[in-house]
Amino acid sequence: MRELCRRLAGFSAPPVVVRHSLGCLVWLHAVARGLVPEGAVARVLLVAPPSASFVAGHPEIAGFAPPGPVAGQVVGARIVASDADPCCPEGAVVAYGRPLGIATDVVAGAGHLSLDDGYGAWPSVLAWCLAADPATAGFE
């Protein structure tokens, strides 16, 4: 989290932030602890966040367990996840989207949206990052 905060402080304008997997949970912890000031980022994309049940089942990452919902976590945030993510068997809509009030896009059968699942360069994420109106961008 220290590194995340250091990097956020280094921008002259609020950046677009993209986090994947456990990086999503680091982001949520930083926000929950008040380490991300309001207006520090333009928007945030949380890609394939693992669920609390998955994290709890792996002692080596149990410290990443998601914090409870905190006001401000949803500002400028969007989630993209797969309906077949082994790291979030409940589904991102149930685990994060509804509880946090974050718009969630679901990609069919895409696993954990990782390199092993065929994701590397992802043009629709780049388009979302660069879009003047990110609400109009979709993910494939």
Side-chain angles (χ1 to χ4, degrees), residues 2-124:
R2 224 180 341 249
E3 181 64 17
L4 170 67
C5 293
R6 186 186 72 73
R7 289 187 179 256
L8 285 176
F11 289 95
S12 58
V16 172
V17 174
V18 178
R19 307 293 293 181
H20 178 263
S21 193
L22 291 177
C24 299
L25 302 186
V26 170
W27 179 262
L28 294 175
H29 278 283
V31 170
R33 294 176 186 182
L35 300 175
V36 180
E38 187 174 333
V41 300
R43 57 185 173 265
V44 179
L45 184 63
L46 303 175
V47 180
S51 68
S53 67
F54 178 84
V55 173
H58 295 82
E60 66 276 16
I61 60 171
F64 282 91
V70 174
Q73 287 179 333
V74 300
V75 176
R78 190 162 167 183
I79 297 169
V80 63
S82 169
D83 62 356
D85 187 345
C87 300
C88 191
E90 303 86 347
V93 172
V94 171
Y96 294 99
R98 286 186 195 134
L100 297 177
I102 300 175
T104 304
D105 295 89
V106 178
V107 181
H112 193 52
L113 297 167
S114 66
L115 290 172
D116 290 342
D117 298 311
Y119 286 83
W122 195 352
S124 58

